[in-house]
Amino acid sequence: MCIPLLFAGAALLASSGLAHAQIPASRACAPEGALPADVQRIEPDGTIMLKEGPTLRLANIVWPDHLEPNLRAKLAKGLVESLQGQRVSWKAVAPPDRWGAIPAFIFVQEPDSPSAAALPPFWLQAGMVEAGLVPAWPEIIGGCWDELVTHEAVAIDQRRGHWAPRLQSRRLAGIEADPSRQAGRRMAVIWTVSEVRRWREIFFLNIRNAARGGPALSASAATISALTRRGLPPESLVNLRLVVRFIVAREGLSRSRLESADHLTELEKAGAASQR
């Protein structure tokens, strides 16, 4: 987990214009209109405590959960240290959750940089997913989500952080070893579909090289229809490498469910977008 990599990447985003060059001011992931923030601390669960004001959490990402306590503590500590001395601002993107934390997009700018006036604040979530510190999660959907997936494709291509093959294998092995303990966990993995089967109004996406009882995704007819409208009908999913985002079922990987079309991304398409 390399926090300096986040800010090195952020500088590149800002200087190259990838983060903000074509973002209208009305978009949630544009820094215009963001409120200044004075970060006091970040809890291990990712909750951002401001010195004065509401409690925030980073929207559209998966913060490391309680099953990875060392990882989440290091990320929180490193992020707080990296934000010290920076100009931080935020935008609410949804109502407060049941714990009272406001899902927000965060923006950061170096105040003492000679080029600070020329470089706009960068979107923190974009920098984090591009550095591979965390995977993206389709919480707030729209143009900003599409942009976040494009940044994430860079981390996937470079096998950074979360997307290192060994880390993915270890997480999946943990689910198979004790599914009930992992239940409810948000996962983002790279899988290849070997077969798509239909049973009544449910579609099953079997994963290649899976052992008997291994990974299989169920999807509703509505989800498949949404994918079809995007140019991904069921038959086209076979042999595709996909980024799959799912919540671990109590029964394990054999009962995973595709919550919506936004929880599945064609990896080749995302990679092509990152080259533009």
Side-chain angles (χ1 to χ4, degrees):
M1 305 297 294
C2 184
I3 299 296
L5 176 62
L6 164 62
F7 282 87
L12 178 60
L13 291 178
S15 62
S16 64
L18 288 176
H20 301 288
Q22 297 178 346
I23 303 178
S26 59
R27 289 180 60 185
C29 50
E32 288 78 11
L35 301 173
D38 193 349
V39 177
Q40 182 177 22
R41 68 181 186 276
I42 299 179
E43 302 291 350
D45 65 358
T47 303
I48 300 174
M49 313 299 293
L50 304 181
K51 288 186 177 180
E52 294 182 2
T55 300
L56 309 178
R57 68 171 176 83
L58 293 166
N60 273 60
I61 64 166
V62 180
W63 189 268
D65 60 30
H66 68 284
L67 295 175
E68 297 178 306
N70 293 333
L71 189 59
R72 68 183 343 199
K74 288 180 181 179
L75 181 57
K77 182 177 183 294
L79 196 56
V80 167
E81 292 174 352
S82 298
L83 292 178
Q84 289 180 355
Q86 312 294 319
R87 292 177 181 173
V88 182
S89 56
W90 64 280
K91 278 185 179 180
V93 294
D97 59 25
R98 58 180 176 174
W99 296 280
I102 298 176
F105 288 160
I106 307 295
F107 307 93
V108 184
Q109 184 178 29
E110 296 183 23
D112 299 326
S113 171
S115 58
L119 297 179
F122 74 88
W123 181 22
L124 182 60
Q125 277 93 328
M128 292 180 73
V129 299
E130 184 160 324
L133 299 177
V134 292
W137 188 263
E139 179 181 6
I140 310 300
I141 303 302
C144 292
W145 169 247
D146 294 337
E147 181 183 342
L148 198 60
V149 168
T150 300
H151 288 297
E152 186 178 63
V154 178
I156 293 172
D157 182 65
Q158 299 294 323
R159 299 185 175 185
R160 296 174 179 169
H162 176 88
W163 300 104
R166 288 186 178 180
L167 288 179
Q168 173 168 302
S169 298
R170 188 170 65 190
R171 290 188 177 99
L172 294 177
I175 295 174
E176 294 176 335
D178 191 354
S180 60
R181 184 168 180 261
Q182 307 268 343
R185 189 177 186 183
R186 291 181 174 183
M187 295 292 296
V189 300
I190 299 174
W191 275 337
T192 300
V193 176
S194 63
E195 180 186 19
V196 178
R197 297 181 296 107
R198 180 172 182 171
W199 183 74
R200 296 183 180 178
E201 296 302 315
I202 300 177
F203 291 78
F204 292 93
L205 283 63
N206 292 336
I207 306 306
R208 178 177 295 173
N209 298 329
R212 184 176 180 85
L217 293 168
S218 64
S220 68
T223 296
I224 293 297
S225 295
L227 287 170
T228 300
R229 289 193 295 271
R230 296 182 180 186
L232 290 173
E235 60 274 12
S236 73
L237 299 176
V238 178
N239 296 325
L240 281 185
R241 292 180 70 230
L242 304 167
V243 178
V244 181
R245 308 172 205 273
F246 64 94
I247 298 175
V248 178
R250 182 168 295 275
E251 298 84 359
L253 297 176
S254 62
R255 295 295 183 89
S256 302
R257 184 162 67 96
L258 195 63
E259 300 289 335
S260 74
D262 294 301
H263 286 73
L264 184 150
T265 305
E266 184 181 356
L267 192 57
E268 285 73 14
K269 182 177 293 185
S274 69
Q275 301 298 319
R276 291 201 297 266

